[in-house]
Amino acid sequence: MTVQDSSPTRWWRDAVIYQVYVRSFADGDGDGVGDLRGVRDRLDYLADLGVDALWLTPFYTSPMADFGYDVADYRDVDPLFGTLADAKALIDDAHGRGLRVIVDVVPNHTSDQHAWFREAVRDPKARDRYIFREGRGDGPPNDWESIFGGPAWTRVEDGQWYLHLFAPEQPDLNWDNPEVHAEFEEILRFWLDLGVDGFRVDVAHGMVKPADLPDIGHPDQVRMIGTEPVPYFDLDEVHDIHRRWRRVLDSYPGERIGVAEAWAPTPERLARYVREDELHQAFNFHYLGTPWESGALRHVITESLASAASVGAPSTWVLSNHDVKRHVTRLGGLARARAAALLTLALPGSAYVYQGEELGLPEVLDLPEEVCQDPQRLRDPDSGRDGCRVPIPWTSQGPSYGWRHPWLPMPATWGELSVEAERDDPESTLELYRQALRLRRTLTGELRWHDSPDGTLVFSRDGFVCTVNLTGAPVRSPIEGEPLLASAPVENGLLAPDSTTWWKTKVA
């Protein structure tokens, strides 16, 4: 029996979902770029790891100005990644292994090579699917800035300007146009009919813009996103779109889900995306951005659980993805990354694992300038995302660790971080993740905090206890008993510096 035949289980409430950045996961045809065949070939690895589902980044027809997030045809596969037949075979094979498949949908913008936009450039009468405006004098219609740097407007030959909150090759759609709504509902149905189990909604907080397009009045506007209100993100009307999409998802069997990539100023605003009649999950970027400090982490965990519970939704935890620096580097080393992983996987709700984090991969900070391709680098070189997108190493030998000619070069030290090297090492990060994902299936109950020494966290869930030492020194464990799993050994009753330990016990 496949996943599609099973009765509703609300599987998504505590699922672990593995993010596959397709071009950097596995190369099935030897051209140096990961593809759908490569993912299909590695499904046994994902099943053995113990995840419940995989999320595939965009593999649709695209000029690749933003690595596939500029979609030219939402109903076809780019030849770089394979064919529609490859997509169908991957979905079916994943289901055969008990893995669900989530795909990206990109509704805020299309590629400038999409048939709609090419028509709009040629014919001013065909522009209502996008946001075209007259300028102010010789300048753009307002002061909005692109996420990738520079103005968010580009001028076409006849003098009008079009909005692109990202690259100029990614024109924003006009969601006041009913034709846009109808088109995307059909796109959802196309992939649902093919068997996908849900969608990660790119820029789920976008789509709706105010009719008057007001100025913001501040430079460096990207720093406001996710912390302060901005007029083009997180408008109340965007929730009407998600309600319509939820009705589409609910019309299919098997609990198909929607996952919001939504940046909101507060956890309370974020929780609105996962109300009962909207999407099922929303990435918790507030947790991802929290420093390695006990008070800050306890606060964001408590706040996240309360906000999600207020709308009856599960919390969703994430440490890394294809848009941020890997948490080995961001948190300050592998010890903290391993501890953060066990902390995250102990929390109630659903968790996401970004490919390679189970190997302990760091951010690659020394890529040669000539190979960096991320358009976000236009904002400033340090904001480029190439370093977290370097292909993952499969074999321990050779210059490319299982890749013939990887599209980004791989560090010379990554052989020891490869799947092959870590698979049979009981002390490896890969084995830590495998054990954690296996034990996680036994965890039940709500989180209850307990008093603990300064710089530490202790919480329990139905007979299970998690201790976290966030300090740089050993700390006497407040728990007695045998550890179930630890990111670093517990010796003589001391919690190791920067470590997390799972215990099967009860707190006094």
Side-chain angles (χ1 to χ4, degrees):
M1 180 179 294
T2 67
V3 167
Q4 298 306 102
D5 296 326
S6 62
S7 59
T9 60
R10 298 175 76 77
W11 61 271
W12 44 274
R13 295 189 68 89
D14 60 2
V16 176
I17 300 173
Y18 186 97
Q19 181 189 353
V20 174
Y21 190 70
V22 177
R23 67 168 48 234
S24 296
F25 185 66
D27 182 4
D29 61 11
D31 67 352
V33 177
D35 48 40
L36 296 180
R37 197 173 96 189
V39 180
R40 186 182 175 196
D41 290 344
R42 302 290 183 172
L43 287 174
D44 285 340
Y45 169 76
L46 296 177
D48 180 67
L49 182 61
V51 298
D52 301 292
L54 53 149
W55 150 35
L56 302 169
T57 53
F59 49 78
Y60 315 113
T61 305
S62 169
M64 302 295 164
D66 187 20
F67 298 102
Y69 282 95
D70 50 318
V71 182
D73 186 344
Y74 290 83
R75 295 178 178 83
D76 204 357
V77 174
D78 195 276
L80 187 68
F81 299 128
T83 66
L84 267 178
D86 290 325
K88 177 60 175 170
L90 170 55
I91 294 166
D92 290 345
D93 283 3
H95 288 166
R97 290 165 173 79
L99 296 168
R100 290 174 166 86
V101 178
I102 296 167
V103 299
D104 250 297
V105 64
V106 186
N108 180 73
H109 47 262
T110 71
S111 165
D112 64 350
Q113 297 305 303
H114 190 285
W116 278 5
F117 192 75
R118 295 170 69 181
E119 181 184 8
V121 171
R122 292 193 307 266
D123 182 3
K125 296 180 181 178
R127 291 181 177 172
D128 193 50
R129 299 173 182 132
Y130 295 90
I131 300 175
F132 279 83
R133 294 288 190 276
E134 299 295 334
R136 295 188 298 198
D138 291 331
N142 65 20
D143 69 353
W144 293 2
E145 297 173 356
S146 164
I147 307 301
F148 290 163
W153 298 91
T154 290
R155 199 171 196 172
V156 296
E157 287 188 2
D158 62 20
Q160 281 200 318
W161 300 74
Y162 69 88
L163 178 68
H164 53 86
L165 291 178
F166 294 87
E169 297 89 347
Q170 295 169 290
D172 279 47
L173 287 159
N174 174 22
W175 277 85
D176 290 331
N177 186 330
E179 190 176 359
V180 175
H181 286 268
E183 170 69 2
F184 273 86
E185 289 185 22
E186 289 305 309
I187 289 167
L188 297 184
R189 292 186 184 280
F190 176 87
W191 290 102
L192 290 167
D193 290 341
L194 206 67
V196 304
D197 300 284
F199 301 91
R200 178 264 193 184
V201 184
D202 186 60
V203 196
H205 53 299
M207 294 105 91
V208 176
K209 282 81 177 178
D212 59 347
L213 301 176
D215 281 340
I216 294 177
H218 299 283
D220 202 14
Q221 296 160 11
V222 70
R223 299 189 186 280
M224 300 172 63
I225 296 170
T227 59
E228 301 177 50
V230 291
Y232 47 75
F233 281 160
D234 192 40
L235 273 67
D236 289 344
E237 292 80 4
V238 78
H239 297 283
D240 295 334
I241 300 170
H242 298 315
R243 291 188 184 95
R244 291 178 63 164
W245 286 16
R246 178 61 179 263
R247 290 193 289 271
V248 173
L249 292 166
D250 286 348
S251 70
Y252 284 78
E255 294 263 338
R256 318 292 180 94
I257 71 167
V259 182
E261 185 220 16
W263 291 87
T266 65
E268 292 76 19
R269 291 290 299 184
L270 183 66
R272 293 164 60 86
Y273 290 85
V274 290
R275 289 177 288 193
E276 187 175 354
D277 61 345
E278 294 193 40
L279 301 178
H280 300 74
Q281 295 182 348
F283 292 125
N284 190 342
F285 294 122
H286 295 279
Y287 177 73
L288 181 152
T290 301
W292 187 247
E293 192 274 319
S294 59
L297 279 167
R298 177 165 175 164
H299 174 76
V300 76
I301 291 168
T302 300
E303 189 177 47
S304 298
L305 289 170
S307 298
S310 71
V311 294
S315 294
T316 302
W317 313 101
V318 59
L319 287 169
S320 287
N321 62 35
H322 66 293
D323 285 333
V324 299
K325 280 185 169 59
R326 287 187 175 274
H327 61 273
V328 168
T329 301
R330 199 178 68 247
L331 295 180
L334 183 58
R336 288 182 176 181
R338 287 166 58 95
L342 285 195
L343 165 61
T344 300
L345 293 173
L347 297 171
S350 179
Y352 279 75
V353 173
Y354 178 49
Q355 65 175 47
E357 74 171 73
E358 77 278 13
L359 303 174
L361 297 185
E363 185 84 358
V364 181
L365 299 173
D366 58 354
L367 287 169
E369 179 73 20
E370 62 270 18
V371 305
C372 294
Q373 304 173 44
D374 179 23
Q376 190 164 291
R377 296 179 73 256
L378 296 174
R379 194 170 78 211
D380 64 82
D382 289 339
S383 68
R385 300 165 295 179
D386 300 278
C388 64
R389 301 175 176 188
V390 174
I392 67 172
W394 292 99
T395 64
S396 58
Q397 301 299 317
S400 301
Y401 311 116
W403 294 72
R404 187 174 298 174
H405 301 290
W407 69 281
L408 283 174
M410 302 163 73
T413 57
W414 273 21
E416 62 192 40
L417 297 177
S418 67
V419 172
E420 182 181 52
E422 294 196 24
R423 180 177 279 137
D424 298 322
D425 179 359
E427 305 301 321
S428 70
T429 302
L430 176 58
E431 185 59 26
L432 183 74
Y433 269 76
R434 289 179 63 198
Q435 292 187 53
L437 292 173
R438 175 177 56 83
L439 290 171
R440 188 180 188 275
R441 296 181 183 277
T442 69
L443 303 186
T444 58
E446 300 300 316
L447 180 148
R448 179 186 171 203
W449 292 109
H450 300 274
D451 293 337
S452 65
D454 289 346
T456 69
L457 297 173
V458 176
F459 62 86
S460 62
R461 294 179 61 196
D462 286 355
F464 160 88
V465 177
C466 178
T467 60
V468 189
N469 177 11
L470 296 104
T471 75
V475 173
R476 176 66 55 185
S477 174
I479 302 299
E480 295 183 359
E482 289 295 319
L484 280 171
L485 185 63
S487 66
V490 178
E491 297 179 344
N492 301 318
L494 297 176
L495 303 177
D498 293 318
S499 69
T500 297
T501 307
W502 291 4
W503 309 77
K504 185 67 174 178
T505 186
K506 292 184 178 180
V507 178

Short mmCIF file of all heavy atoms in Angstrom, two decimals, residues 179-229:
data_model
loop_
_atom_site.label_atom_id
_atom_site.label_comp_id
_atom_site.label_asym_id
_atom_site.label_seq_id
_atom_site.Cartn_x
_atom_site.Cartn_y
_atom_site.Cartn_z
N GLU A 179 -7.26 35.81 -13.01
CA GLU A 179 -6.59 34.83 -13.86
C GLU A 179 -5.38 34.23 -13.16
O GLU A 179 -5.05 33.05 -13.35
CB GLU A 179 -6.16 35.50 -15.17
CG GLU A 179 -5.68 34.52 -16.23
CD GLU A 179 -5.35 35.18 -17.54
OE1 GLU A 179 -5.51 36.42 -17.66
OE2 GLU A 179 -4.92 34.46 -18.48
N VAL A 180 -4.69 35.03 -12.34
CA VAL A 180 -3.54 34.52 -11.58
C VAL A 180 -4.00 33.47 -10.57
O VAL A 180 -3.40 32.41 -10.42
CB VAL A 180 -2.79 35.68 -10.91
CG1 VAL A 180 -1.67 35.15 -10.02
CG2 VAL A 180 -2.23 36.63 -11.96
N HIS A 181 -5.09 33.78 -9.87
CA HIS A 181 -5.64 32.80 -8.92
C HIS A 181 -5.97 31.48 -9.61
O HIS A 181 -5.59 30.41 -9.13
CB HIS A 181 -6.90 33.36 -8.27
CG HIS A 181 -6.66 34.41 -7.24
ND1 HIS A 181 -6.52 34.14 -5.90
CD2 HIS A 181 -6.53 35.76 -7.36
CE1 HIS A 181 -6.32 35.26 -5.23
NE2 HIS A 181 -6.33 36.27 -6.10
N ALA A 182 -6.68 31.57 -10.71
CA ALA A 182 -7.11 30.36 -11.41
C ALA A 182 -5.93 29.56 -11.91
O ALA A 182 -5.92 28.31 -11.82
CB ALA A 182 -8.03 30.74 -12.57
N GLU A 183 -4.92 30.24 -12.43
CA GLU A 183 -3.75 29.55 -12.95
C GLU A 183 -3.03 28.76 -11.85
O GLU A 183 -2.66 27.60 -12.05
CB GLU A 183 -2.80 30.56 -13.58
CG GLU A 183 -1.42 30.01 -13.96
CD GLU A 183 -1.44 29.02 -15.12
OE1 GLU A 183 -2.54 28.77 -15.69
OE2 GLU A 183 -0.37 28.48 -15.47
N PHE A 184 -2.84 29.37 -10.70
CA PHE A 184 -2.11 28.66 -9.65
C PHE A 184 -2.91 27.53 -9.03
O PHE A 184 -2.34 26.52 -8.61
CB PHE A 184 -1.58 29.65 -8.61
CG PHE A 184 -0.24 30.20 -9.00
CD1 PHE A 184 -0.14 31.32 -9.82
CD2 PHE A 184 0.93 29.56 -8.62
CE1 PHE A 184 1.09 31.80 -10.22
CE2 PHE A 184 2.17 30.04 -9.01
CZ PHE A 184 2.26 31.15 -9.82
N GLU A 185 -4.21 27.66 -8.96
CA GLU A 185 -5.00 26.53 -8.48
C GLU A 185 -4.87 25.34 -9.45
O GLU A 185 -4.80 24.19 -9.01
CB GLU A 185 -6.45 26.94 -8.28
CG GLU A 185 -6.62 27.87 -7.09
CD GLU A 185 -8.06 28.21 -6.78
OE1 GLU A 185 -8.96 27.43 -7.18
OE2 GLU A 185 -8.30 29.24 -6.12
N GLU A 186 -4.78 25.62 -10.72
CA GLU A 186 -4.59 24.54 -11.69
C GLU A 186 -3.18 23.96 -11.58
O GLU A 186 -2.97 22.76 -11.77
CB GLU A 186 -4.86 25.05 -13.11
CG GLU A 186 -6.34 25.31 -13.38
CD GLU A 186 -7.19 24.09 -13.09
OE1 GLU A 186 -6.86 22.99 -13.60
OE2 GLU A 186 -8.17 24.21 -12.33
N ILE A 187 -2.20 24.79 -11.30
CA ILE A 187 -0.83 24.29 -11.11
C ILE A 187 -0.78 23.34 -9.90
O ILE A 187 -0.18 22.27 -9.96
CB ILE A 187 0.15 25.47 -10.91
CG1 ILE A 187 0.33 26.24 -12.23
CG2 ILE A 187 1.51 24.98 -10.40
CD1 ILE A 187 1.02 27.59 -12.07
N LEU A 188 -1.43 23.75 -8.80
CA LEU A 188 -1.48 22.86 -7.64
C LEU A 188 -2.11 21.52 -8.01
O LEU A 188 -1.59 20.45 -7.65
CB LEU A 188 -2.29 23.51 -6.51
CG LEU A 188 -1.76 24.81 -5.90
CD1 LEU A 188 -2.64 25.25 -4.74
CD2 LEU A 188 -0.32 24.68 -5.43
N ARG A 189 -3.22 21.57 -8.71
CA ARG A 189 -3.91 20.33 -9.08
C ARG A 189 -3.05 19.47 -10.01
O ARG A 189 -3.08 18.23 -9.92
CB ARG A 189 -5.26 20.65 -9.72
CG ARG A 189 -6.25 21.26 -8.75
CD ARG A 189 -7.63 21.44 -9.38
NE ARG A 189 -8.54 22.12 -8.47
CZ ARG A 189 -9.18 21.53 -7.46
NH1 ARG A 189 -9.01 20.23 -7.25
NH2 ARG A 189 -9.98 22.23 -6.69
N PHE A 190 -2.29 20.08 -10.88
CA PHE A 190 -1.43 19.32 -11.79
C PHE A 190 -0.48 18.43 -11.00
O PHE A 190 -0.33 17.23 -11.26
CB PHE A 190 -0.65 20.28 -12.69
CG PHE A 190 0.33 19.60 -13.61
CD1 PHE A 190 -0.07 19.14 -14.85
CD2 PHE A 190 1.66 19.42 -13.23
CE1 PHE A 190 0.84 18.50 -15.70
CE2 PHE A 190 2.57 18.78 -14.06
CZ PHE A 190 2.15 18.32 -15.30
N TRP A 191 0.19 19.01 -9.99
CA TRP A 191 1.17 18.25 -9.22
C TRP A 191 0.51 17.33 -8.21
O TRP A 191 1.02 16.23 -7.94
CB TRP A 191 2.16 19.21 -8.56
CG TRP A 191 3.04 19.85 -9.60
CD1 TRP A 191 2.95 21.10 -10.12
CD2 TRP A 191 4.11 19.21 -10.30
NE1 TRP A 191 3.88 21.30 -11.09
CE2 TRP A 191 4.63 20.16 -11.23
CE3 TRP A 191 4.69 17.95 -10.25
CZ2 TRP A 191 5.69 19.87 -12.08
CZ3 TRP A 191 5.75 17.65 -11.09
CH2 TRP A 191 6.24 18.61 -11.99
N LEU A 192 -0.62 17.73 -7.66
CA LEU A 192 -1.36 16.83 -6.78
C LEU A 192 -1.83 15.60 -7.55
O LEU A 192 -1.78 14.47 -7.04
CB LEU A 192 -2.54 17.56 -6.14
CG LEU A 192 -2.17 18.62 -5.11
CD1 LEU A 192 -3.37 19.50 -4.79
CD2 LEU A 192 -1.64 17.97 -3.82
N ASP A 193 -2.28 15.79 -8.77
CA ASP A 193 -2.69 14.66 -9.60
C ASP A 193 -1.51 13.75 -9.91
O ASP A 193 -1.68 12.53 -10.08
CB ASP A 193 -3.31 15.15 -10.92
CG ASP A 193 -4.68 15.79 -10.74
OD1 ASP A 193 -5.31 15.55 -9.68
OD2 ASP A 193 -5.11 16.54 -11.63
N LEU A 194 -0.31 14.32 -9.97
CA LEU A 194 0.89 13.52 -10.21
C LEU A 194 1.32 12.75 -8.97
O LEU A 194 2.15 11.85 -9.05
CB LEU A 194 2.03 14.42 -10.70
CG LEU A 194 3.10 13.77 -11.58
CD1 LEU A 194 2.52 13.34 -12.93
CD2 LEU A 194 4.27 14.72 -11.80
N GLY A 195 0.76 13.13 -7.81
CA GLY A 195 1.00 12.36 -6.61
C GLY A 195 1.76 13.05 -5.49
O GLY A 195 2.04 12.42 -4.46
N VAL A 196 2.10 14.34 -5.63
CA VAL A 196 2.86 14.98 -4.55
C VAL A 196 1.99 15.10 -3.31
O VAL A 196 0.76 15.14 -3.38
CB VAL A 196 3.41 16.36 -4.96
CG1 VAL A 196 4.27 16.25 -6.20
CG2 VAL A 196 2.30 17.38 -5.14
N ASP A 197 2.65 15.17 -2.16
CA ASP A 197 1.97 15.19 -0.87
C ASP A 197 1.83 16.58 -0.29
O ASP A 197 1.31 16.74 0.81
CB ASP A 197 2.72 14.29 0.11
CG ASP A 197 2.78 12.85 -0.39
OD1 ASP A 197 1.76 12.16 -0.29
OD2 ASP A 197 3.84 12.45 -0.91
N GLY A 198 2.31 17.57 -1.01
CA GLY A 198 2.16 18.93 -0.52
C GLY A 198 3.10 19.89 -1.21
O GLY A 198 3.85 19.52 -2.12
N PHE A 199 3.06 21.13 -0.73
CA PHE A 199 3.83 22.22 -1.33
C PHE A 199 4.49 23.06 -0.26
O PHE A 199 3.88 23.38 0.77
CB PHE A 199 2.92 23.13 -2.16
CG PHE A 199 2.21 22.43 -3.27
CD1 PHE A 199 0.95 21.88 -3.05
CD2 PHE A 199 2.80 22.28 -4.51
CE1 PHE A 199 0.28 21.21 -4.07
CE2 PHE A 199 2.14 21.61 -5.53
CZ PHE A 199 0.88 21.07 -5.31
N ARG A 200 5.73 23.40 -0.49
CA ARG A 200 6.38 24.45 0.27
C ARG A 200 6.13 25.73 -0.53
O ARG A 200 6.49 25.82 -1.71
CB ARG A 200 7.87 24.15 0.42
CG ARG A 200 8.66 25.23 1.18
CD ARG A 200 9.31 26.18 0.21
NE ARG A 200 10.32 27.04 0.82
CZ ARG A 200 10.97 27.98 0.19
NH1 ARG A 200 10.73 28.20 -1.11
NH2 ARG A 200 11.87 28.71 0.79
N VAL A 201 5.48 26.70 0.08
CA VAL A 201 5.05 27.90 -0.62
C VAL A 201 6.12 28.97 -0.46
O VAL A 201 6.31 29.54 0.62
CB VAL A 201 3.69 28.40 -0.09
CG1 VAL A 201 3.23 29.60 -0.92
CG2 VAL A 201 2.66 27.28 -0.14
N ASP A 202 6.82 29.26 -1.53
CA ASP A 202 7.87 30.26 -1.53
C ASP A 202 7.26 31.65 -1.35
O ASP A 202 6.26 31.99 -1.98
CB ASP A 202 8.64 30.19 -2.86
CG ASP A 202 9.84 31.10 -2.90
OD1 ASP A 202 10.74 30.93 -2.06
OD2 ASP A 202 9.88 31.98 -3.78
N VAL A 203 7.87 32.45 -0.48
CA VAL A 203 7.41 33.81 -0.20
C VAL A 203 5.89 33.82 0.07
O VAL A 203 5.14 34.59 -0.52
CB VAL A 203 7.76 34.78 -1.36
CG1 VAL A 203 7.63 36.23 -0.92
CG2 VAL A 203 9.18 34.54 -1.86
N ALA A 204 5.47 32.95 0.97
CA ALA A 204 4.04 32.83 1.27
C ALA A 204 3.48 34.09 1.90
O ALA A 204 2.26 34.28 1.95
CB ALA A 204 3.81 31.63 2.21
N HIS A 205 4.35 34.97 2.39
CA HIS A 205 3.93 36.23 2.99
C HIS A 205 3.81 37.33 1.95
O HIS A 205 3.45 38.47 2.29
CB HIS A 205 4.93 36.66 4.06
CG HIS A 205 6.35 36.70 3.55
ND1 HIS A 205 6.99 35.59 3.08
CD2 HIS A 205 7.24 37.71 3.44
CE1 HIS A 205 8.22 35.91 2.70
NE2 HIS A 205 8.39 37.20 2.90
N GLY A 206 4.15 37.02 0.70
CA GLY A 206 4.14 38.01 -0.36
C GLY A 206 2.83 37.97 -1.14
O GLY A 206 1.77 37.85 -0.56
N MET A 207 2.93 38.08 -2.42
CA MET A 207 1.82 38.07 -3.37
C MET A 207 0.96 39.34 -3.33
O MET A 207 0.81 40.00 -4.33
CB MET A 207 0.92 36.83 -3.24
CG MET A 207 1.63 35.53 -3.60
SD MET A 207 2.04 34.59 -2.15
CE MET A 207 0.57 33.58 -2.01
N VAL A 208 0.42 39.71 -2.17
CA VAL A 208 -0.49 40.84 -2.10
C VAL A 208 0.28 42.14 -1.82
O VAL A 208 1.09 42.20 -0.90
CB VAL A 208 -1.55 40.62 -1.00
CG1 VAL A 208 -2.43 41.86 -0.86
CG2 VAL A 208 -2.38 39.38 -1.31
N LYS A 209 0.03 43.14 -2.66
CA LYS A 209 0.65 44.47 -2.47
C LYS A 209 -0.45 45.52 -2.38
O LYS A 209 -1.49 45.40 -3.02
CB LYS A 209 1.58 44.82 -3.65
CG LYS A 209 2.94 44.14 -3.60
CD LYS A 209 2.89 42.72 -4.10
CE LYS A 209 4.28 42.07 -4.11
NZ LYS A 209 4.20 40.66 -4.58
N PRO A 210 -0.24 46.57 -1.60
CA PRO A 210 -1.26 47.62 -1.49
C PRO A 210 -1.40 48.38 -2.81
O PRO A 210 -0.42 48.61 -3.51
CB PRO A 210 -0.72 48.52 -0.38
CG PRO A 210 0.75 48.28 -0.39
CD PRO A 210 0.95 46.86 -0.79
N ALA A 211 -2.63 48.77 -3.11
CA ALA A 211 -2.91 49.42 -4.40
C ALA A 211 -2.15 50.73 -4.55
O ALA A 211 -1.75 51.09 -5.67
CB ALA A 211 -4.41 49.66 -4.53
N ASP A 212 -1.92 51.45 -3.46
CA ASP A 212 -1.27 52.75 -3.58
C ASP A 212 0.25 52.67 -3.56
O ASP A 212 0.93 53.69 -3.70
CB ASP A 212 -1.75 53.70 -2.48
CG ASP A 212 -1.49 53.17 -1.07
OD1 ASP A 212 -1.15 51.97 -0.94
OD2 ASP A 212 -1.62 53.94 -0.11
N LEU A 213 0.82 51.48 -3.37
CA LEU A 213 2.28 51.27 -3.41
C LEU A 213 3.02 52.36 -2.64
O LEU A 213 3.86 53.08 -3.19
CB LEU A 213 2.76 51.23 -4.87
CG LEU A 213 2.15 50.15 -5.76
CD1 LEU A 213 2.66 50.30 -7.19
CD2 LEU A 213 2.46 48.76 -5.24
N PRO A 214 2.79 52.50 -1.34
CA PRO A 214 3.38 53.62 -0.59
C PRO A 214 4.89 53.49 -0.43
O PRO A 214 5.44 52.38 -0.38
CB PRO A 214 2.69 53.51 0.78
CG PRO A 214 2.39 52.04 0.91
CD PRO A 214 2.02 51.59 -0.48
N ASP A 215 5.56 54.62 -0.35
CA ASP A 215 6.99 54.62 -0.02
C ASP A 215 7.20 54.05 1.38
O ASP A 215 6.32 54.14 2.25
CB ASP A 215 7.54 56.06 -0.05
CG ASP A 215 7.81 56.54 -1.47
OD1 ASP A 215 7.94 55.70 -2.37
OD2 ASP A 215 7.86 57.77 -1.65
N ILE A 216 8.41 53.51 1.59
CA ILE A 216 8.79 53.03 2.92
C ILE A 216 9.54 54.11 3.69
O ILE A 216 9.37 54.28 4.89
CB ILE A 216 9.63 51.75 2.81
CG1 ILE A 216 8.76 50.62 2.22
CG2 ILE A 216 10.21 51.33 4.15
CD1 ILE A 216 9.50 49.33 2.00
N GLY A 217 10.36 54.85 2.97
CA GLY A 217 11.04 55.98 3.60
C GLY A 217 12.31 55.61 4.33
O GLY A 217 12.86 56.43 5.07
N HIS A 218 12.80 54.39 4.16
CA HIS A 218 14.03 53.95 4.82
C HIS A 218 14.92 53.24 3.81
O HIS A 218 14.43 52.47 2.98
CB HIS A 218 13.73 52.98 5.98
CG HIS A 218 12.90 53.56 7.06
ND1 HIS A 218 13.39 54.41 8.02
CD2 HIS A 218 11.58 53.38 7.35
CE1 HIS A 218 12.42 54.75 8.84
NE2 HIS A 218 11.31 54.15 8.46
N PRO A 219 16.22 53.43 3.88
CA PRO A 219 17.13 52.63 3.07
C PRO A 219 17.40 51.29 3.75
O PRO A 219 17.02 51.07 4.90
CB PRO A 219 18.39 53.50 3.02
CG PRO A 219 18.35 54.24 4.32
CD PRO A 219 16.90 54.49 4.63
N ASP A 220 18.06 50.40 3.03
CA ASP A 220 18.43 49.09 3.58
C ASP A 220 17.20 48.37 4.12
O ASP A 220 17.18 47.83 5.23
CB ASP A 220 19.50 49.24 4.66
CG ASP A 220 20.28 47.95 4.87
OD1 ASP A 220 20.18 47.05 4.02
OD2 ASP A 220 20.98 47.83 5.89
N GLN A 221 16.15 48.33 3.30
CA GLN A 221 14.86 47.82 3.75
C GLN A 221 14.87 46.32 4.04
O GLN A 221 14.04 45.83 4.81
CB GLN A 221 13.79 48.14 2.69
CG GLN A 221 13.57 49.62 2.50
CD GLN A 221 12.91 49.96 1.18
OE1 GLN A 221 12.42 49.09 0.46
NE2 GLN A 221 12.90 51.24 0.82
N VAL A 222 15.82 45.60 3.46
CA VAL A 222 15.85 44.16 3.67
C VAL A 222 16.01 43.81 5.14
O VAL A 222 15.54 42.76 5.60
CB VAL A 222 16.96 43.50 2.81
CG1 VAL A 222 18.34 43.87 3.31
CG2 VAL A 222 16.79 41.98 2.77
N ARG A 223 16.66 44.67 5.90
CA ARG A 223 16.87 44.39 7.32
C ARG A 223 15.59 44.52 8.14
O ARG A 223 15.54 44.10 9.30
CB ARG A 223 17.96 45.31 7.89
CG ARG A 223 19.31 45.13 7.21
CD ARG A 223 20.42 45.87 7.89
NE ARG A 223 21.65 45.79 7.15
CZ ARG A 223 22.49 44.74 7.17
NH1 ARG A 223 22.20 43.71 7.92
NH2 ARG A 223 23.60 44.75 6.44
N MET A 224 14.56 45.10 7.55
CA MET A 224 13.27 45.22 8.23
C MET A 224 12.45 43.94 8.13
O MET A 224 11.57 43.70 8.96
CB MET A 224 12.48 46.39 7.64
CG MET A 224 13.16 47.74 7.75
SD MET A 224 12.27 49.03 6.82
CE MET A 224 10.70 49.07 7.69
N ILE A 225 12.74 43.12 7.11
CA ILE A 225 11.89 41.96 6.83
C ILE A 225 12.01 40.95 7.96
O ILE A 225 13.10 40.55 8.35
CB ILE A 225 12.29 41.33 5.48
CG1 ILE A 225 12.03 42.33 4.34
CG2 ILE A 225 11.53 40.04 5.23
CD1 ILE A 225 12.61 41.91 3.02
N GLY A 226 10.88 40.56 8.48
CA GLY A 226 10.84 39.60 9.56
C GLY A 226 10.94 40.21 10.94
O GLY A 226 10.78 39.51 11.94
N THR A 227 11.19 41.52 11.00
CA THR A 227 11.28 42.18 12.31
C THR A 227 10.34 43.38 12.41
O THR A 227 9.88 43.70 13.50
CB THR A 227 12.72 42.66 12.58
OG1 THR A 227 13.13 43.57 11.55
CG2 THR A 227 13.69 41.48 12.61
N GLU A 228 10.08 44.05 11.30
CA GLU A 228 9.19 45.21 11.28
C GLU A 228 8.23 45.08 10.10
O GLU A 228 8.55 44.44 9.09
CB GLU A 228 9.98 46.51 11.14
CG GLU A 228 11.00 46.76 12.23
CD GLU A 228 11.79 48.04 11.98
OE1 GLU A 228 11.14 49.08 11.70
OE2 GLU A 228 13.03 47.99 12.02
N PRO A 229 7.05 45.70 10.21
CA PRO A 229 6.11 45.66 9.07
C PRO A 229 6.68 46.39 7.85
O PRO A 229 7.33 47.43 7.98
CB PRO A 229 4.88 46.39 9.61
CG PRO A 229 4.99 46.31 11.10
CD PRO A 229 6.47 46.36 11.38
#
